[in-house]
Each structure stands twice: as structure tokens, then as C-alpha cells.
């Protein structure tokens, strides 16, 4: 259903009541079902009977934390683009290293100014430009797809590949950190048929590593995906890509066509599915609901998706970057990856760094590096005139830590004692020019807008928390009690983690909240 909704909106610029009714008839479902799906996702413009259709062009201004630090509010206030263009605020668009960011249609304006946005609108730049990347022929020329060919021909065994990955210590890099090799074995032990769902709904504010790799080396990801599927006995693959990544979608469509038409080995069916603007679909079961054409609402567990997942079948769910590393780990050996860490940790981490540093971007660094080391060795230090004040080690969900905890290793299991976690390794650096309480309010506003609304603790709790945080002096006992209720009773990680920014600010920045 979502694919059909995209096609209608791409063609007509909105979803009219008549076309929604026609789609319901064509799919033999109720109009209510079509309407509730269409209105769930931010990127679908549903126009009721008697309403005026939106302007042909939409400009979205990212107002998530990194862009807010870089002046997104001032950018929005200065834009006057006429009645034929509408300007909307948008949650994180995954380009935090170039903040502030405006999206003109699908064209990103990086480090945007009022003049630059107006120039893009006037020039009719509405498509995402294609970046140079390693295409199919070049990838094959340099040994690409030989490993999966060896696997399929019997030269390598599932047990051999799985053991190498397990010995390397590779864990899920979408945030949960589940051991990759163990997940393959768990799914492989379930009865066939088995499916695979690749999660590239990279919506966590501050995170952009998946886009970075897709824009440069898409086939390394695709080969790793095929190896993971083969090791788990998967027969069909679904790739779920966030709608904001129009450039990545164009690359994947082109390169998947080349792979399917030129591969010298059999491929399972591979489907590329397009999200529609819903942060909650980064949660694995909500993503599966969305792939199935429904509202992206998390499922209750158990059963887990490895047992009952996509279309009711056992499903191997992976973040894009997790499988991106599979070929390198197998070819170079488990020790190559495991020996990279610091402070007793194993592996490499792709840190998405933004905020008050001289060199924001994706920085590949040893797991267990500290944020002070990351800033000094990889990010060129703090911006001139800025002193390190605090940081988000794991995007919006991971809480806000003070500079005094800048020597804690950045890796799984290391930040929990401080009320935080690394998640997808999205590091946002704050300086003495910022306030942690203001950053926390920005994050809570994001969670409030992105709550799917399924469970009361999250739907109501995020709104109530934001009201409490808007006060000059926070009612800390009440906010802590509310936070505990959200963490205890919310269905999924959104509601469970949403209080982290508020709780860490009250703990580490008490001078800011009264």
C-alpha cells in the first residue's frame, strides 16, 4: 500500500480523497485502512474533500539538535518564498555534518543560508544530486562478489563464515548491539521459509553513517547482506530505506538492477521499500509493519521477529552498517576487526559526529575511544572560541553527559552506569555556548512529534514531559516520576528512552534546571 501511495503522491503532489478511495477499491481493502496508513506518515499529504491542495514545492528545514545549534530557527524565520512554496519544519534529515540543512523538494541545501535556499528554489533544484560512488563494474574488478560466489559454490561453509563473524565480536550497529553471528544462528535454526529485513530507516537525530557508506560503496553493503542471508538460510530480502535518502534510493535502484542482470550466481528476490517519514520505523517490528503496508507501530514481544517477523515468517533483521563490514571481516580475519579497539574494547565504530567541532562527519575510530580522544584525534578539536561542555554519545535517545565524563570509553555496555548508552554512535558535541537543558527540550519535542501514539505512557508522557521542561524551573520530582512511568510501561524503545535527556540533565547539569 505504501508503495502505491508514494506513486500517487509522486505523480500528483498529494493524496486526494478520491484517489485514496480508488486505491482502496483497487486493493480491495476499506477506505479507513488506506486513510489511516496515509495519515500516519509525515511525507504523505492527504487532502480531504473541500480542502486546498498544498503548493507544488515543499521546503523542509531540519530543526533537530545539530541543525538547531547551527541556526535552523533563524533560517526558518528569514525564509519568505511566496505562495507557491510552503516551508515546513522537519525532524532530522540525516545530514547533521552539514548543519543547518534545508531540503528543497528532494534537493539538500547544505550549510544552508536564506540566500542559498532561495537560489535553489529559483533554479528549480528539486532533485537530489548523485554523488560519485563505486559502481558494480569497479567493485567486481577489485574482488567484489567473489566471497558470496565462493559461499554459493560450496568453497566456504555457513559454519566457517558465521564463526569468523562471531569471533570478530561484530555486534548490531543500529543501536541494540546484539552479536551478529549469534543472530544468524538463531534465525537459521527457525523453520523455513525465512526472510531478511535490512533497516536503513536512519532517523535517530545525529546519525548519518548509513547514508555516508551507501553514497560511497553500496555493493560492499549488498554483498554483506547476501552473505548474511545465505548464512541464515534466508530466501527473500527486503531493504527498507528512509524516504529522506532520495539520492541513496537512486543509487540502490541503479546498482540493484546491475547486480540482478549481471551477477554470475543465483540471487534471492531483493525488494527495495521506501519509508515515508516516521522515526518509529527504525524500531525493527515497526519497520516490519511498514513493509507490510501498515502503520509503523511496534509489536508486543514475544514473539520476537527472529521467530515471527515479516509476513509471519522468521526474519533476520539487520542495520545496514552491520552487514557492510562482513566482507572485510571474513577476508581479513576476525582478529583484524577484534584487535582495533581501545580500553579493552573490540572492533571499529563509525561515529557520526556533529555539533561544535571543526571537522564534523563520519569518523571510523576504535571502539572504546573516549569523546575527548575522538574530538582531538579525528574532529580537529573544538571550534575556535568554544570549550567542551557536554555531549550526546548515542543520539537523541542516549542522554546528555557532561565534559567531566569525557573519558568514558564509547562502546556498548560502557555508558549504562552513567544513565546513557552509545546506540548508533551518533555523537553531538556541546560547548560552553550551549545549554544542555535547551538541547534536552529539543529532543523531547522530537520524541513527542514522533511517538506513534499506540501506548499512553509514550503518547501522553512525552507531551507532559515537554510541558514540564518548558518551565523556567523544572518540577524535578514530578518529571522523574513521569519518566519512570514511561520507562516501565512504554511498549518500545522510543518511550523507554525518551526520558534519558531530561534525566541526565537533572543529574549532571542541575544548575540549568533550578
Amino acid at each position: 500500500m505504501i508503495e502505491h501511495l508514494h506513486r500517487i503522491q509522486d505523480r500528483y503532489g498529494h493524496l486526494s480523497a478520491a484517489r485514496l478511495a480508488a486505491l482502496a477499491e483497487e486493493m480491495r481493502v476499506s477506505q479507513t485502512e488506506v486513510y489511516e496508513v496515509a495519515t500516519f506518515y509525515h511525507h504523505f499529504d492527504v487532502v480531504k474533500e473541500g480542502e486546498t491542495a498544498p503548493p507544488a514545492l515543499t521546503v523542509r528545514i531540519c530543526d533537530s539538535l545539530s541543525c538547531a545549534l547551527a541556526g535552523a530557527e533563524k533560517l526558518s524565520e528569514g525564509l519568505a518564498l511566496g505562495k507557491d512554496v510552503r516551508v515546513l519544519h522537519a525532524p532530522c534529515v540525516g545530514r547533521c555534518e552539514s548543519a543547518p540543512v534545508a531540503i528543497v523538494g528532494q534537493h539538500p541545501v547544505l550549510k544552508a543560508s536564506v540566500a542559498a535556499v532561495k537560489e535553489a528554489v529559483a533554479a528549480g533544484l528539486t532533485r537530489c544530486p548523485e554523488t560519485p560512488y563505486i559502481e558494480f563494474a569497479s567493485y567486481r574488478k577489485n574482488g567484489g562478489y567473489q566471497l558470496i560466489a565462493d559461499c554459493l559454490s560450496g568453497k566456504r561453509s555457513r559454519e566457517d563464515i558465521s564463526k569468523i563473524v562471531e569471533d570478530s565480536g561484530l555486534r548490531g550497529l543500529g543501536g541494540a548491539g546484539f552479536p551478529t553471528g549469534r543472530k544468524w544462528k538463531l534465525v537459521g535454526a527457525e523453520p523455513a521459509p525465512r526472510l531478511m529485513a535490512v533497516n536503513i530507516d536512519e532517523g535517530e537525530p545525529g546519525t548519518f553513517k548509513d547514508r555516508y557508506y551507501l553514497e560511497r560503496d553500496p555493493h560492499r553493503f549488498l554483498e554483506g547482506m547476501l552473505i548474511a542471508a545465505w548464512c541464515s538460510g534466508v530466501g527473500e530480502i527486503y531493504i527498507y530505506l528512509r524516504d529522506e535518502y532520495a539520492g541513496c534510493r537512486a543509487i540502490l535502484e541503479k546498482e540493484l538492477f546491475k547486480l540482478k542482470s549481471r551477477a554470475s550466481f543465483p540471487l534471492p528476490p531483493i525488494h527495495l521499500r521506501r519509508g515515508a517519514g516516521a522515526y518509529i520505523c527504525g524500531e525493527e517490528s515497526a519497520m516490519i509493519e511498514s513493509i507490510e503496508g501498515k502503520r509503523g507501530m511496534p509489536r508486543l514481544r514475544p514473539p520476537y521477529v527472529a521467530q515471527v517477523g515479516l509476513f509471519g515468517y522468521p526474519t533476520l533483521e539487520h542495520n545496514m552498517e552491520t552487514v557492510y563490514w562482513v566482507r572485510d571481516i571474513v577476508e581479513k580475519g576476525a582478529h583484524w576487526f577484534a584487535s582495533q579497539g581501545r580500553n579493552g574494547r573490540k572492533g571499529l565504530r563509525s561515529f557520526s559526529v556533529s555539533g561544535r567541532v571543526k571537522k564534523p562527519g563520519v569518523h571510523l575510530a576504535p571502539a572504546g575511544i573516549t569523546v575527548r580522544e575522538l574530538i582531538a584525534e579525528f574532529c580537529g578539536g573544538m571550534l575556535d572560541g568554544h570549550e567542551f561542555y557536554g555531549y550526546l554519545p548515542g543520539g537523541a535517545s542516549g542522554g546528555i553527559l557532561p565534559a567531566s565524563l569525557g573519558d568514558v570509553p564509547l562502546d556498548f555496555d560502557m555508558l549504562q552506569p552513567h544513565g546513557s548508552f552509545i546506540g548508533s554512535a551518533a555523537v553531538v558535541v556541546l560547548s560552553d555556548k550551549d545549554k544542555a537543558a535547551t538541547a534536552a527540550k529539543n529532543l523531547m519535542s522530537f520524541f513527542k512529534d514522533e511517538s506513534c501514539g499506540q501506548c499512553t505512557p509514550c503518547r501522553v508522557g512525552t507531551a507532559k514531559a515537554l510541558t514540564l521542561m518548558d518551565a523556567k524551573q523544572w518540577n524535578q520530582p514530578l518529571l522523574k516520576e513521569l519518566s519512570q512511568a514511561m520507562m516501565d510501561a512504554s511498549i518500545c524503545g522510543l518511550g523507554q528512552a525518551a526520558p534519558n535527556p531530561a534525566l541526565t540533565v537533572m543529574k549532571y547539569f542541575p544548575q540549568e534546571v533550578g
Side-chain angles (χ1 to χ4, degrees):
M1 183 185 298
I2 293 172
E3 293 296 311
H4 292 318
L5 291 170
H6 272 305
R7 288 171 182 163
I8 295 170
Q9 177 146 312
D10 288 346
R11 172 65 178 84
Y12 298 103
H14 63 279
L15 302 173
S16 68
R19 293 190 180 99
L20 292 179
L23 179 60
E25 183 176 352
E26 181 70 23
M27 297 188 70
R28 297 182 181 179
V29 298
S30 69
Q31 292 187 34
T32 300
E33 185 175 348
V34 175
Y35 180 81
E36 69 180 10
V37 171
T39 54
F40 180 85
Y41 296 92
H42 298 316
H43 291 184
F44 290 139
D45 290 313
V46 177
V47 178
K48 300 177 184 177
E49 289 186 15
E51 291 185 342
T52 303
L57 181 62
T58 297
V59 175
R60 289 182 166 88
I61 308 296
C62 178
D63 62 4
S64 289
L65 182 56
S66 299
C67 284
L69 294 175
E73 184 176 354
K74 185 178 179 181
L75 174 63
S76 297
E77 292 172 351
L79 277 179
L81 300 173
K83 64 179 181 179
D84 294 329
V85 181
R86 65 172 175 171
V87 179
L88 300 177
H89 290 277
C92 186
V93 296
R95 298 180 180 274
C96 317
E97 79 278 30
S98 303
V101 179
I103 307 293
V104 178
Q106 295 179 344
H107 177 81
V109 181
L110 310 179
K111 297 184 178 178
S113 63
V114 171
V117 174
K118 288 183 175 179
E119 182 179 338
V121 171
L125 300 177
T126 60
R127 295 291 178 187
C128 187
E130 190 174 285
T131 56
Y133 63 90
I134 299 173
E135 299 185 26
F136 178 81
S138 297
Y139 185 76
R140 282 294 301 268
K141 186 177 180 181
N142 289 288
Y145 292 114
Q146 186 59 53
L147 178 56
I148 183 61
D150 289 347
C151 291
L152 293 170
S153 67
K155 293 181 181 179
R156 307 295 293 262
S157 70
R158 287 183 170 91
E159 293 74 18
D160 170 43
I161 301 295
S162 297
K163 187 176 188 309
I164 292 172
V165 171
E166 200 163 4
D167 291 346
S168 74
L170 179 67
R171 297 172 65 171
L173 298 174
F178 194 87
T180 302
R182 194 192 310 171
K183 182 181 282 191
W184 293 357
K185 291 180 179 179
L186 288 173
V187 174
E190 294 293 324
R194 308 173 197 92
L195 303 180
M196 181 177 186
V198 183
N199 194 335
I200 323 181
D201 192 67
E202 190 174 46
E204 182 75 13
T207 312
F208 47 93
K209 62 183 179 63
D210 293 352
R211 173 186 58 80
Y212 176 88
Y213 288 121
L214 276 176
E215 288 178 340
R216 288 159 176 80
D217 200 354
H219 288 282
R220 193 169 300 272
F221 148 63
L222 292 173
E223 183 170 14
M225 175 189 77
L226 292 170
I227 294 167
W230 176 76
C231 283
S232 300
V234 163
E236 193 164 354
I237 300 172
Y238 287 79
I239 302 171
Y240 189 84
L241 179 68
R242 72 181 308 207
D243 195 34
E244 289 85 347
Y245 288 174
C248 293
R249 186 169 67 253
I251 290 172
L252 281 177
E253 287 173 347
K254 184 183 297 185
E255 297 307 310
L256 276 171
F257 176 79
K258 293 178 183 177
L259 174 62
K260 292 174 181 179
S261 58
R262 302 181 193 175
S264 58
F265 47 85
L267 291 169
I270 303 172
H271 311 277
L272 179 60
R273 290 293 175 87
R274 176 179 171 186
Y279 166 72
I280 191 62
C281 290
E283 196 275 340
E284 61 178 8
S285 64
M287 174 193 65
I288 284 172
E289 290 285 296
S290 187
I291 292 174
E292 292 179 354
K294 306 170 189 173
R295 294 175 293 171
M297 289 188 167
R299 298 175 178 176
L300 291 170
R301 290 186 281 267
Y304 296 94
V305 299
Q307 302 163 313
V308 181
L310 188 56
F311 305 118
Y313 297 115
T315 301
L316 176 66
E317 189 272 344
H318 267 316
N319 170 255
M320 173 265 162
E321 196 206 348
T322 307
V323 295
Y324 179 89
W325 288 111
V326 167
R327 178 190 165 191
D328 280 344
I329 289 172
V330 174
E331 289 183 346
K332 297 177 182 179
H335 178 73
W336 165 79
F337 189 79
S339 64
Q340 300 286 338
R342 292 185 187 177
N343 297 310
R345 311 307 295 172
K346 291 183 178 181
L348 293 166
R349 291 288 174 272
S350 300
F351 292 96
S352 305
V353 186
S354 59
R356 308 300 192 181
V357 294
K358 289 182 178 177
K359 290 173 58 180
V362 173
H363 297 292
L364 186 62
I369 194 172
T370 70
V371 73
R372 289 189 189 278
E373 294 169 336
L374 186 66
I375 293 170
E377 298 176 31
F378 292 86
C379 302
M382 298 291 292
L383 288 172
D384 292 338
H386 290 256
E387 292 185 15
F388 180 40
Y389 178 64
Y391 67 108
L392 286 71
S397 304
I400 305 173
L401 298 181
S404 60
L405 292 177
D407 294 319
V408 177
L410 295 174
D411 198 20
F412 298 114
D413 313 316
M414 302 302 290
L415 295 157
Q416 279 85 340
H418 306 287
S420 183
F421 55 81
I422 190 171
S424 58
V427 178
V428 184
V429 180
L430 306 179
S431 79
D432 56 341
K433 303 291 192 295
D434 306 310
K435 285 192 173 183
T438 302
K441 284 190 283 187
N442 177 284
L443 302 174
M444 188 59 75
S445 177
F446 169 81
F447 289 129
K448 171 184 171 291
D449 291 341
E450 294 298 324
S451 173
C452 76
Q454 180 177 193
C455 62
T456 302
C458 177
R459 181 183 68 251
V460 177
T462 51
K464 294 294 185 184
L466 184 59
T467 300
L468 291 171
M469 294 166 72
D470 274 333
K472 186 175 182 181
Q473 185 171 357
W474 292 8
N475 185 337
Q476 296 189 49
L478 183 56
L479 189 51
K480 289 177 182 177
E481 182 181 353
L482 175 62
S483 297
Q484 192 63 52
M486 293 171 64
M487 292 187 291
D488 289 343
S490 294
I491 289 173
C492 82
L494 192 158
Q496 294 163 9
N500 285 342
L503 292 172
T504 50
V505 166
M506 287 187 285
K507 182 176 182 179
Y508 297 114
F509 304 89
Q511 73 280 4
E512 293 190 15
V513 297

